[in-house]
Amino acid sequence: MDLDTPMGMAPMMGTARTGATILCCNCGSPIDGTSSAGAMCYDCIKLTVDISKTIPREAHIQFCRDCDRWLMPPNTWVNAAPESKELLALCLKRLRNITKVRIVNAEFIWTEPHSRRIKVKITIQDSVADGVLMQQSFEVVYVVGTQQCKDCAKSYTANVWRASVQVRQKVPHKRTFLLLEQLILKHQAHRDTINIKEEKGGIDFYFAHRNQAEAFLSFLKSVIPVFVKESRQLISQDNHTGDKSYKFNYSVEIVPICRDDLVALPLKLARSIGNITPLVLCHRIGTSVNLLDPNTLQTAEISSDVFWRAPFQPLAGTPDLVEFIVMDVEPTNVRKGKWVLSEVQVARAADLGVNDQTYFTRTHLGNLLHAGDSVLGYMLSGANFNSSSLDAIEASRAYGSTIPDVILVKKYYPNRRKNRKRNWKLKRMAKDEGELLPKAADQEKMEAEYEMFLRDVEEDEELRAALALYKNTKKRQQDADAMSIAETEMTGMDDGPKINMDELLDDFDELGIHDE
């Protein structure tokens, strides 16, 4: 046997080949030499290597105090609630070199609300060597600065609007504008306006962009019948590129017919909308004019397009209403929705004790009226109206003999206290009155119209369903004399309708935190 012949040694059964073990160059701990980075253990790597050294620990963000929006550089303003995902994403985008590492987690740290500081805890990961992944957490402090956005700056500067919507109605009162104001507030249709100015005969709405004015126009067309005219004015032009800048004006005219108005329809129009009696009442204003014949309970609608082809004026309005006293009521079997056709005998309230003149008529208020009640209506007997449509009705063979002496409109509550304290309220829209400050007489007229509108809201359930009514939580402090006067007023009857508290909304603008 030759001793110099090389022989292979088989590995021992049950043993595995292991890597080389070395000592850490800093602390001397045994580590795996095949996977260590720079001959250091993981603890020493964490102490010597900082993967977040290129990321700043402090940054600045801008906040607009007028519209509560945050600046997204270079010139974008975004809405973000405190400690929201949107605000967290905005904070992360404000950090330099944050995209070079992998973000594992990010969360807000509570700070004092008045400190103008936002703290965010960020956890990142990055590779320090081949096969070695390191994770590190650190805090970033954001200093909140205030800066006014361009939209808010324009709202405080004159003559910066690009589109205006001029809403007008050729009537002597503002009842329709009161209803329109509540609809605008409920649907927040005025949120894009930069100014709202009250003018003679209507209201002007100013917008910074044309598309915002067009969106407001679509809202107006969806709630009331209107007629729109558009005009534009050239304000600047670039001769080299051909670019032009315009100001757009939209003239919006509301139909002159209001709720509870007496309308004398042209005979041709009355036949085209269902052959309704030409002398009717307007019981509702929506996207179209809704008419009612109180003698037959027949209803009809006049759309905005049909009305503006041949516009007409109402025969009489709410200032012409006369108070009557109900003597007798005989209901019939004719019903339609909430209306009950009844035969009523009434006498004018001013004639009681003077003469015994009574009037017989038909009305749609059979479910509301009883003997002794007061009701408001139009007195046609002996009245003189300057209307060609009414003259045509009187000369007609079919309708000349059907004109009643009295047309009743709505029930009246004479015992209702004036300026009573209601458990509900309506919000009002902030408007710039400008130089058109109301006189004392005009102020009294506006208060009377608003009081009449509040009474209509109390009496009509359908009208209340379309509006936003809020709870009136304010309590007036009264002295002893005022309390005694209130007690004497409570002794009288108040038969006016009341609104259930379940129909009211909570006004969050009045909610606050108070120290006990």
Side-chain angles (χ1 to χ4, degrees), residues 93-218:
K93 291 180 180 179
R94 294 291 292 159
L95 292 179
R96 298 190 307 270
N97 302 324
I98 194 67
T99 57
K100 296 180 180 180
V101 295
R102 179 173 178 265
I103 301 177
V104 178
N105 186 29
E107 58 184 3
F108 287 100
I109 300 176
W110 185 86
T111 55
E112 290 289 343
H114 60 275
S115 63
R116 293 291 180 181
R117 299 291 187 275
I118 297 178
K119 292 184 179 181
V120 180
K121 182 180 180 181
I122 305 174
T123 303
I124 60 174
Q125 284 183 355
D126 195 10
S127 59
V128 295
D130 296 337
V132 179
L133 194 64
M134 183 177 179
Q135 180 171 313
Q136 185 177 357
S137 298
F138 59 95
E139 295 181 3
V140 179
V141 179
Y142 294 88
V143 180
V144 180
T146 58
Q147 179 180 344
Q148 194 176 47
C149 64
K150 291 183 178 180
D151 296 336
C152 294
K154 287 183 179 181
S155 64
Y156 291 101
T157 308
N159 302 323
V160 294
W161 54 272
R162 282 286 181 260
S164 67
V165 179
Q166 301 173 348
V167 185
R168 299 290 185 269
Q169 188 183 28
K170 297 178 181 179
V171 291
H173 57 79
K174 290 185 176 294
R175 293 178 56 203
T176 306
F177 283 102
L178 294 175
L179 174 61
L180 180 61
E181 177 184 8
Q182 297 303 319
L183 295 176
I184 291 175
L185 289 173
K186 180 179 180 180
H187 298 279
Q188 294 293 318
H190 66 302
R191 61 182 178 273
D192 294 329
T193 58
I194 60 176
N195 191 16
I196 302 175
K197 190 174 182 181
E198 189 169 3
E199 297 289 347
K200 184 178 181 181
I203 305 175
D204 292 348
F205 298 87
Y206 297 93
F207 299 89
H209 304 284
R210 181 186 181 185
N211 57 350
Q212 297 174 350
E214 291 177 347
F216 185 73
L217 285 175
S218 357

Side-chain angles (χ1 to χ4, degrees), residues 326-351:
V326 179
M327 298 298 179
D328 189 19
V329 180
E330 293 183 5
T332 62
N333 295 327
V334 181
R335 294 174 178 267
K336 189 171 185 179
K338 63 178 181 180
W339 299 315
V340 178
L341 184 63
S342 302
E343 297 177 350
V344 184
Q345 185 179 8
V346 296
R348 196 162 59 175
D351 294 342

Side-chain angles (χ1 to χ4, degrees), residues 169-412:
Q169 188 183 28
K170 297 178 181 179
V171 291
H173 57 79
K174 290 185 176 294
R175 293 178 56 203
T176 306
F177 283 102
L178 294 175
L179 174 61
L180 180 61
E181 177 184 8
Q182 297 303 319
L183 295 176
I184 291 175
L185 289 173
K186 180 179 180 180
H187 298 279
Q188 294 293 318
H190 66 302
R191 61 182 178 273
D192 294 329
T193 58
I194 60 176
N195 191 16
I196 302 175
K197 190 174 182 181
E198 189 169 3
E199 297 289 347
K200 184 178 181 181
I203 305 175
D204 292 348
F205 298 87
Y206 297 93
F207 299 89
H209 304 284
R210 181 186 181 185
N211 57 350
Q212 297 174 350
E214 291 177 347
F216 185 73
L217 285 175
S218 357
F219 169 77
L220 292 180
K221 293 178 181 179
S222 65
V223 294
I224 53 176
V226 295
F227 178 71
V228 181
K229 289 183 180 180
E230 179 185 353
S231 63
R232 62 178 64 186
Q233 178 185 3
L234 180 65
I235 58 177
S236 64
Q237 180 179 359
D238 191 344
N239 296 327
H240 298 283
T241 61
D243 295 337
K244 299 179 181 179
S245 180
Y246 292 94
K247 278 190 175 182
F248 299 90
N249 293 277
Y250 299 93
S251 176
V252 180
E253 184 177 356
I254 307 175
V255 292
I257 300 175
C258 303
R259 187 169 177 257
D260 298 335
D261 282 357
L262 180 63
V263 180
L265 297 174
L267 297 179
K268 183 179 179 181
L269 178 61
R271 288 192 292 266
S272 64
I273 58 175
N275 200 20
I276 192 173
T277 304
L279 199 60
V280 291
L281 288 174
C282 175
H283 70 91
R284 180 178 174 271
I285 293 291
T287 54
S288 58
V289 181
N290 297 265
L291 304 176
L292 167 69
D293 181 10
N295 293 321
T296 61
L297 299 186
Q298 182 182 357
T299 58
E301 292 184 0
I302 301 178
S303 63
S304 178
D305 297 335
V306 173
F307 177 84
W308 291 112
R309 286 178 198 157
F312 54 89
Q313 296 291 328
L315 190 64
T318 51
D320 303 322
L321 290 174
V322 180
E323 182 182 356
F324 295 91
I325 303 299
V326 179
M327 298 298 179
D328 189 19
V329 180
E330 293 183 5
T332 62
N333 295 327
V334 181
R335 294 174 178 267
K336 189 171 185 179
K338 63 178 181 180
W339 299 315
V340 178
L341 184 63
S342 302
E343 297 177 350
V344 184
Q345 185 179 8
V346 296
R348 196 162 59 175
D351 294 342
L352 294 181
V354 180
N355 53 46
D356 297 332
Q357 181 69 31
T358 59
Y359 304 93
F360 176 81
T361 185
R362 284 190 170 189
T363 181
H364 59 289
L365 305 175
N367 60 331
L368 298 177
L369 298 182
H370 303 84
D373 289 347
S374 297
V375 62
L376 296 178
Y378 294 107
M379 186 71 180
L380 301 183
S381 178
N384 186 14
F385 296 101
N386 185 13
S387 173
S388 59
S389 299
L390 182 61
D391 296 340
I393 295 173
E394 293 176 348
S396 174
R397 295 181 180 180
Y399 305 109
S401 60
T402 60
I403 300 177
D405 295 333
V406 174
I407 295 182
L408 302 182
V409 178
K410 61 181 179 180
K411 188 176 180 180
Y412 179 61

Side-chain angles (χ1 to χ4, degrees), residues 31-62:
I31 57 175
D32 187 3
T34 60
S35 61
S36 61
M40 288 190 297
C41 63
Y42 185 71
D43 294 335
C44 293
I45 292 176
K46 289 195 300 182
L47 294 176
T48 56
V49 179
D50 186 8
I51 61 176
S52 64
K53 61 182 179 180
T54 59
I55 301 176
R57 296 298 192 270
E58 184 174 333
H60 294 264
I61 55 177
Q62 304 300 326

Side-chain angles (χ1 to χ4, degrees), residues 469-482:
L469 279 66
Y470 297 90
K471 297 178 182 179
N472 190 8
T473 57
K474 293 183 179 180
K475 297 181 180 180
R476 301 178 181 176
Q477 297 181 355
Q478 299 176 341
D479 53 7
D481 295 338

